[in-house]
Amino acid sequence: MLLSTPKNPGDEADVASPLNRTGASDGGGESAQPTRSSQPAAIASSTPSGRPPAPSSATTAATRVPAPVSRPPGPVRPPVSRPGGPTRTPGPVRGTPRPNARPNPRPNARPNARPGAHPINYKIRRISALRRYCVPVTTLIIVLASLVVIAILIKVVLDNYYYFCTKSFKFIPLDKWCDGVSDCAGGEDELRCVQPVDYSNSSIVRLSDADSVVQILTSSGAWSYICYDGFNTAAAKAVCAQLGYSSTPSFSQIPSPASNGVYSNILLSGSGIQVVPITGNCSSGNVVSLTCLVCGVNHKKERIIGGHDALIDNVPWQVSMQYMGQHLCGGSIIAPRIILCAAHCFQKTQKQVDRWRVQAGGSTLTYLFASPVDKIFIPTSYILEQKPYDIALIKLKNDLTLSATVQPVCLPGFDNNLPSGSPLLVTGWGDISEGGALAQTLQEVSITSIPNDVCNQEYFGQILDSMLCAGRLSGGTDACQGDSGGPLVYLGQNTHWEQVGVVSWGEGCGRPGKVGVYTRVASYLSWIYGIMKREL
């Protein structure tokens, strides 16, 4: 339909006013929001300039007349002067965001200082805080760690070449440590060293190999049996203390093994025990059988070169003797704090007690959590590079915790005498072949005892009564380097394993005719018990 023109000239001026235009003069190609009128809008049919009337935004969609497709260009309209005022930023088109406005990625972060600003200020402040605190702390930690590593390296180097005298505050070459000559103030460098000790005739108590029968030395120098009459637990503890044992003993009575033996009673005194000889025979005819320590528990009733892997549960007395973190010798537990070993393990440059550790309770060779050593004893008669008196005792700083894998082995009786061909067992982590490498898993091998006279035919008379030979004359099975000091055990008459020998020396490993030579433990019982008693 056709639109009517306004009859009131004021209406035309109101529609054509710049304030009611669609924002053509505001720039940016955006239309301003039209002003709503309270009366129906009207569009003039013509303008003073003769320009066709433009459609009004106030007209509803139903009455809007589309503009012609081709429109002749009209004259340029002079700019309308506007009163001065504050600059107005064009608003956004309805339904679209501001072109420079960005959503804040952090809901709880501070609002941007200006529209369109990137939230970089907060990150800059955060990075500055990290640089202020974290970088100096990290640098300090790195510097301290470097100083610790350097200090450790310096200590390792000094420990390998020098000994530090704390009293005189000086370093001495390592070969002067424990050389028998005092080089530090107060002889500090000779205090913690291997000690030569002679206790060959100090023990007044001994135990027989069969049934562990007690014999005690009288004032007249004769060995006598202890009559069971009146014997009690207190007396048993006092007798075991003479051998160096502090554990709770067990005892029993057995018939006297000798028809015309010498008998005594035991009286307790402040200094230990007093021996009271009995005139004639024991009234009951029974003597004391004494066990001072549970030892040699038998887990296997059968029966290193030619050997095979062993379980520590079967030989729980086996230990590794380690010098500065390296396995050098074997050893055996004979008391919770006493280890039996060989004297030749402690060479001239390896006499420093504080550098030795004892590892117990495992089949696999390891160097963690080893027990520190307190003292090392060797016989005064032992001469380095010579064969006799090759035995040593090690006292630990603390008792070993006994368990299924840590148990002492029994010592033999004073009258122990192995028959020729007796089955024996030797264990250790030594070389698995002559000139080879150490075994990482404990090895065991079954061998037999060889008479000394047969052994001497190969060793030209070097085998003494304080030694015993064991192995196979055909070769192939033997102890080797790294097994030194380890136990040679025998399943005794009491069905308990007892240590009869200490790995000592031999020619090669497993050579035919060249069997292993062991220190005979029974020859040194008095020496062993004397030291154990003193160190109890």
Side-chain angles (χ1 to χ4, degrees):
M1 74 179 179
L2 298 178
L3 300 179
S4 60
T5 57
K7 296 181 181 181
N8 191 349
D11 292 342
E12 180 181 359
D14 184 53
V15 172
S17 173
L19 294 180
N20 291 329
R21 292 179 59 87
T22 58
S25 64
D26 288 343
E30 297 180 356
S31 300
Q33 183 71 21
T35 302
R36 295 184 180 271
S37 176
S38 58
Q39 296 181 0
I43 301 178
S45 59
S46 61
T47 59
S49 58
R51 182 179 176 179
S56 175
S57 60
T59 307
T60 60
T63 58
R64 181 173 298 175
V65 178
V69 176
S70 59
R71 181 183 301 173
V76 178
R77 187 182 183 87
V80 178
S81 61
R82 299 179 59 180
T87 304
R88 181 170 178 263
T89 302
V93 178
R94 179 173 297 180
T96 59
R98 293 180 181 271
N100 291 332
R102 299 184 181 180
N104 196 337
R106 300 177 182 272
N108 298 326
R110 296 179 57 186
N112 297 333
R114 62 182 183 277
H118 194 274
I120 193 64
N121 294 338
Y122 174 74
K123 293 184 178 180
I124 292 177
R125 287 193 293 270
R126 183 179 179 185
I127 294 174
S128 299
L130 291 176
R131 289 178 179 175
R132 180 179 301 176
Y133 298 107
C134 294
V135 173
V137 171
T138 304
T139 304
L140 178 61
I141 293 175
I142 294 175
V143 171
L144 292 178
S146 302
L147 293 177
V148 170
V149 171
I150 293 173
I152 292 175
L153 293 176
I154 293 175
K155 184 179 186 303
V156 170
V157 172
L158 292 178
D159 287 345
N160 288 330
Y161 296 98
Y162 296 97
Y163 172 77
F164 179 65
C165 304
T166 57
K167 294 182 180 180
S168 52
F169 204 77
K170 69 175 182 179
F171 289 93
I172 62 173
L174 197 60
D175 57 358
K176 292 187 177 182
W177 185 13
C178 293
D179 62 348
V181 179
S182 298
D183 298 294
C184 298
E188 178 185 354
D189 56 319
E190 302 297 323
L191 295 179
R192 302 282 299 162
C193 305
V194 174
Q195 303 178 33
V197 178
D198 185 10
Y199 280 109
S200 58
N201 297 312
S202 62
S203 178
I204 65 171
V205 175
R206 67 185 187 182
L207 303 175
S208 68
D209 197 57
D211 300 321
S212 192
V213 177
V214 183
Q215 291 186 359
I216 193 163
L217 191 64
T218 64
S219 58
S220 62
W223 289 98
S224 66
Y225 296 103
I226 299 179
C227 183
Y228 188 78
D229 300 343
F231 195 79
N232 55 28
T233 302
K237 288 184 177 180
V239 172
C240 286
Q242 295 296 315
L243 299 175
Y245 293 106
S246 59
S247 56
T248 301
S250 61
F251 59 93
S252 61
Q253 56 181 332
I254 63 172
S256 175
S259 56
N260 295 319
V262 179
Y263 302 93
S264 299
N265 285 327
I266 298 298
L267 295 179
L268 301 182
S269 63
S271 59
I273 60 175
Q274 181 179 355
V275 182
V276 180
I278 297 176
T279 303
N281 293 329
C282 178
S283 60
S284 66
N286 294 328
V287 294
V288 176
S289 172
L290 181 63
T291 300
C292 294
L293 180 69
V294 177
C295 59
V297 178
N298 180 24
H299 293 287
K300 119 183 229 188
K301 295 186 178 181
E302 58 188 55
R303 17 162 257 241
I304 296 200
I305 298 288
H308 55 274
D309 291 355
L311 293 176
I312 196 66
D313 305 68
N314 295 332
V315 285
W317 43 83
Q318 176 77 51
V319 300
S320 166
M321 297 295 304
Q322 300 172 357
Y323 180 79
M324 293 187 68
Q326 294 184 346
H327 170 87
L328 291 187
C329 287
S332 56
I333 305 169
I334 61 174
R337 197 179 289 195
I338 303 296
I339 307 297
L340 186 61
C341 192
H344 79 266
C345 292
F346 308 98
Q347 302 290 336
K348 181 179 179 180
T349 58
Q350 296 162 349
K351 292 185 176 182
Q352 302 86 7
V353 172
D354 293 330
R355 294 195 166 188
W356 283 95
R357 295 289 186 274
V358 174
Q359 183 65 259
S363 300
T364 302
L365 195 59
T366 179
Y367 305 99
L368 299 176
F369 309 111
S371 300
V373 173
D374 185 32
K375 297 179 182 179
I376 300 175
F377 306 97
I378 61 174
T380 54
S381 302
Y382 175 75
I383 300 175
L384 191 62
E385 306 298 338
Q386 294 189 13
K387 310 298 190 299
Y389 308 103
D390 192 13
I391 195 168
L393 277 186
I394 294 90
K395 180 184 178 183
L396 304 179
K397 288 188 176 181
N398 301 291
D399 288 355
L400 293 173
T401 301
L402 301 183
S403 64
T405 57
V406 179
Q407 288 286 331
V409 65
C410 298
L411 292 176
F414 72 93
D415 54 350
N416 175 266
N417 187 18
L418 283 177
S420 176
S422 297
L424 305 171
L425 185 72
V426 62
T427 52
W429 288 278
D431 297 348
I432 57 178
S433 62
E434 187 172 341
L438 293 175
Q440 295 303 307
T441 302
L442 184 64
Q443 301 291 297
E444 66 177 15
V445 62
S446 297
I447 54 179
T448 57
S449 60
I450 307 294
N452 281 14
D453 55 348
V454 175
C455 193
N456 261 326
Q457 295 176 10
E458 293 289 343
Y459 286 116
F460 311 104
Q462 298 182 75
I463 308 303
L464 306 178
D465 291 340
S466 60
M467 306 175 186
L468 63 86
C469 295
R472 295 179 184 175
L473 293 175
S474 60
T477 56
D478 194 7
C480 201
Q481 280 75 25
D483 293 320
S484 294
L488 177 71
V489 297
Y490 170 67
L491 191 58
Q493 298 179 5
N494 297 327
T495 66
H496 285 76
W497 290 96
E498 58 185 33
Q499 183 171 351
V500 296
V502 176
V503 179
S504 182
W505 61 282
E507 186 174 325
C509 300
R511 298 180 184 180
K514 302 295 184 180
V515 298
V517 183
Y518 300 79
T519 301
R520 190 184 295 270
V521 176
S523 300
Y524 296 93
L525 289 175
S526 183
W527 183 82
I528 294 172
Y529 288 139
I531 295 177
M532 289 176 60
K533 176 184 176 182
R534 191 189 78 167
E535 298 298 320
L536 181 62

